[in-house]
Amino acid sequence: MSTIGYPNWAVDMADVGAIYPFQGWEIPMVVAGVVFWLAWHRIQFVREGQHLEEARKQVIDHERIQKSVERY
Amino acid sequence: MDGNLNALTTIFTEFYYWVTVVFMFLIHVGFCMYEVGASRRRNHMHTLMKNVMVIPLVTVTFFFFGWWIYWAFPMFPFFGGLDLEAGAANLPWADTMGPNAGDRITGVFWAAFLLFSWTAASIVSGSVIERIRSSALWVHAVLIGSVWWIIDAAWGWHYGGWMVQYLGYHDAYASGVIHAIAGGYALGVITVLGPRIGKFAADGTPRDIPPHNPWMLTIGIFLIYTGFWGFYAACNVPLISAEAIGGQITGVTWTATNIYLAPTTLSGITFNFLMSLSGGLMMAYVVSRGDAFWTFSGGLAGVITASAGNDLYHPIQAMLIAAVGVFLAYKLHYWVEKKFKLDDAVGAVAVHGYAGFIGLVIAGFVLWGAPSSPFEGYATINPLGQFVGALIMFFGLGFLPAFIVAKMQAAAGVLRIPEEVELQGLDYAEHHAYEDAKAEIIEADKAYLANKITPAE
């Protein structure tokens, strides 16, 4: 058994096509990949929201903000 | 070269490797920039010199004996003796080791391997910045660059290597052959070397020592990505006939192959390089909670994790495998740092060592039963072979020799710089003439200005 469909390379390369593992599972793999991608956006979105909210809630130090603005 | 087709193929292959070597030079440029960006201002020249001198030292030693080891050691010492016949054409006095109109491959192929040697040494260099003696690092550079890594290449990255034949070891783009060994080697050195002053608080809590220049660091890592892409191409044989391979492949169709002369395509590895880079970047952003430097390094760690099987993975597999490797490598880094109080200044042990080790193990499962080689009788890829291979790379050829040599250096008092010099900064200590010259010329300019320019009334 071989995950790529070839147990050895005793083949004519003219007849060889795909050589990646788990051929036939492309659609579930795409689904897994898309879930990974969308989950990333979700995690990033939530974390950024938390970060900005925490930053907003911090006691405002006028002098420090003034320095940040002037730093450019 | 008899016949136009043979001439074309030979010259194309010569040119192909030459181009990959030029791209791979960027890895070293990137390492220099990254290390300087990560070090503090008082250590810049030392950091640069430490990494730049890796180039000549590893190059000449690789010419003298490193290249011969690759050809002579595939079955040595466990499964036979030295292959003196194959080694003969690669000895420094062989007539193929120089301009030779009858041999257009040896030099460019030698250089492709040599650039890997620099990389192995540079990976170690990053971990030990700001406190190792240059002399000690340069001995380690020669040992990993021209001895240990090329032994591992002969065993696990040569189409006749014993690990490939008997373990079914598969490591197409060097998760273990470069990265696990170099990460393991770096771990061995820093275990003996100790952390930078100030890295750990009195209660053992690790402190972050921020990089002084984020821009240099970012450009450095981008150059490493670029060179790594060239490295991928350098791991392939671009065009070869079934007859020239001499294995089980039948028919007359020519193919590109990986280092083991098994079929792959540049198209496939391009998919997988970029998808694993992406998976690594995305996971590193998440797991580090948006830390910029870990995110950049995660891209590299992602490619390293997927590299063992990136000749055969589906691109989505490459992306997900990269993500898993980055998650684990990041967690391991902080666990080891806290538990063992080890200071890995640029995270090299994690990015190269842990990610490489994990990548080898994952490949054993995902590619279970796939042929590693076109030659008859070789073991197929399997989880046990990959795990044993990872142990050999990380601990056997990486950690262990580094630990022993570093212990010897420490016992002789030649491993670490004095505390006073570490606090003062290596640039003044080792490059005082440069600092003194700067101070003198600034004073001279000031004196000149004072005499020449009269302040406005």
Side-chain angles (χ1 to χ4, degrees):
Chain A
M1 192 210 84
S2 162
T3 57
I4 68 166
Y6 297 95
N8 57 59
W9 286 118
V11 292
D12 186 337
M13 288 306 296
D15 301 326
V16 176
I19 52 172
Y20 52 80
F22 310 121
Q23 290 160 40
W25 286 79
E26 289 84 355
I27 290 174
M29 283 195 287
V30 170
V31 171
V34 169
V35 166
F36 175 71
W37 160 53
L38 291 175
W40 188 88
H41 280 295
R42 170 73 184 155
I43 292 167
Q44 196 275 335
F45 183 87
V46 170
R47 284 203 185 148
E48 188 178 37
Q50 289 168 346
H51 168 73
L52 292 174
E53 185 58 18
E54 282 165 18
R56 192 184 68 79
K57 280 182 183 167
Q58 281 179 0
V59 178
I60 293 175
D61 180 338
H62 187 77
E63 194 180 338
R64 202 171 65 185
I65 292 177
Q66 184 76 24
K67 278 183 184 167
S68 294
V69 171
E70 285 171 358
R71 193 174 64 176
Y72 185 58
Chain B
M1 290 185 289
D2 54 334
N4 289 340
L5 189 59
N6 274 344
L8 191 64
T9 308
T10 303
I11 291 169
F12 167 70
T13 305
E14 179 184 22
F15 183 69
Y16 176 93
Y17 282 115
W18 179 81
V19 170
T20 64
V21 171
V22 175
F23 273 111
M24 285 169 60
F25 200 103
L26 294 176
I27 296 177
H28 211 76
V29 179
F31 274 125
C32 279
M33 291 190 74
Y34 195 95
E35 282 189 34
V36 171
S39 64
R40 285 166 284 185
R41 287 184 194 282
R42 58 185 193 253
N43 294 312
H44 281 178
M45 286 308 294
H46 175 263
T47 303
L48 271 176
M49 286 297 285
K50 178 168 65 61
N51 218 2
V52 167
M53 288 310 292
V54 161
I55 294 175
L57 292 167
V58 176
T59 300
V60 297
T61 51
F62 197 74
F63 186 87
F64 294 146
F65 50 81
W67 188 228
W68 174 80
I69 289 174
Y70 177 71
W71 291 102
F73 271 52
M75 300 298 277
F76 180 83
F78 306 111
F79 296 92
L82 294 170
D83 189 344
L84 296 176
E85 193 181 339
N90 301 284
L91 284 164
W93 50 80
D95 66 6
T96 45
M97 291 292 281
N100 184 330
D103 176 284
R104 293 168 182 273
I105 296 302
T106 302
V108 284
F109 203 39
W110 168 81
F113 274 71
L114 170 63
L115 271 285
F116 302 157
S117 303
W118 295 0
T119 299
S122 267
I123 290 166
V124 178
S125 168
S127 280
V128 297
I129 56 171
E130 302 191 314
R131 77 269 202 207
I132 198 168
R133 286 184 184 230
S134 297
S135 48
L137 185 272
W138 289 333
V139 169
H140 286 293
V142 168
L143 287 175
I144 188 168
S146 292
V147 180
W148 297 110
W149 109 263
I150 199 66
I151 290 175
D152 91 14
W155 290 357
W157 217 39
H158 182 294
Y159 59 84
W162 71 265
M163 288 175 63
V164 182
Q165 293 193 41
Y166 297 107
L167 297 179
Y169 181 76
H170 186 77
D171 193 8
Y173 303 100
S175 288
V177 168
I178 290 287
H179 299 286
I181 186 177
Y185 201 99
L187 186 65
V189 176
I190 63 172
T191 301
V192 181
L193 181 64
R196 289 168 289 178
I197 293 169
K199 174 64 188 174
F200 292 96
D203 66 353
T205 309
R207 292 195 186 103
D208 189 28
I209 301 178
H212 96 279
N213 190 327
W215 255 116
M216 287 189 80
L217 206 137
T218 306
I219 296 171
I221 199 86
F222 268 73
L223 287 171
I224 296 171
Y225 295 163
T226 309
F228 206 164
W229 204 347
F231 172 100
Y232 259 54
C235 297
N236 276 19
V237 177
L239 190 62
I240 192 168
S241 68
E243 183 187 15
I245 292 169
Q248 294 174 288
I249 298 170
T250 60
V252 294
T253 304
W254 290 51
T255 182
T257 74
N258 61 19
I259 196 83
Y260 306 114
L261 300 180
T264 190
T265 65
L266 268 176
S267 171
I269 67 168
T270 302
F271 274 132
N272 289 350
F273 177 85
L274 292 171
M275 287 293 275
S276 53
L277 177 69
S278 303
L281 284 166
M282 289 168 75
M283 177 54 82
Y285 181 94
V286 168
V287 74
S288 71
R289 304 187 80 83
D291 179 279
F293 308 114
W294 271 109
T295 301
F296 304 155
S297 294
L300 192 59
V303 180
I304 289 165
T305 308
S307 285
N310 255 352
D311 57 327
L312 292 170
Y313 291 150
H314 185 279
I316 294 174
Q317 293 164 353
M319 177 186 76
L320 295 174
I321 288 166
V324 171
V326 167
F327 178 85
L328 294 173
Y330 178 87
K331 294 289 184 189
L332 265 171
H333 171 83
Y334 284 108
W335 182 78
V336 169
E337 181 179 273
K338 205 171 169 184
K339 176 91 179 167
F340 300 102
K341 307 287 178 285
L342 294 180
D343 178 14
D344 175 8
V346 296
V349 178
V351 170
H352 300 274
Y354 306 151
F357 191 106
I358 292 160
L360 287 171
V361 175
I362 292 174
F365 287 96
V366 178
L367 298 173
W368 202 336
S372 174
S373 159
F375 300 104
E376 195 174 357
Y378 279 38
T380 53
I381 304 168
N382 66 89
L384 182 62
Q386 291 296 104
F387 182 67
V388 172
L391 290 175
I392 290 170
M393 295 296 163
F394 189 95
F395 290 107
L397 295 172
F399 181 87
L400 198 58
F403 184 81
I404 292 168
V405 173
K407 275 280 186 194
M408 290 164 66
Q409 291 174 325
V414 295
L415 178 64
R416 186 160 179 147
I417 59 173
E419 268 187 13
E420 297 82 355
V421 177
E422 187 175 342
L423 290 167
Q424 182 179 220
L426 277 153
D427 283 358
Y428 190 79
E430 290 196 353
H431 303 278
H432 55 84
Y434 172 78
E435 295 291 337
D436 289 348
K438 267 189 357 188
E440 192 178 335
I441 199 69
I442 288 167
E443 286 307 312
D445 283 352
K446 280 181 180 172
Y448 181 81
L449 276 170
N451 287 332
K452 277 286 182 187
I453 298 172
T454 310
E457 292 293 330

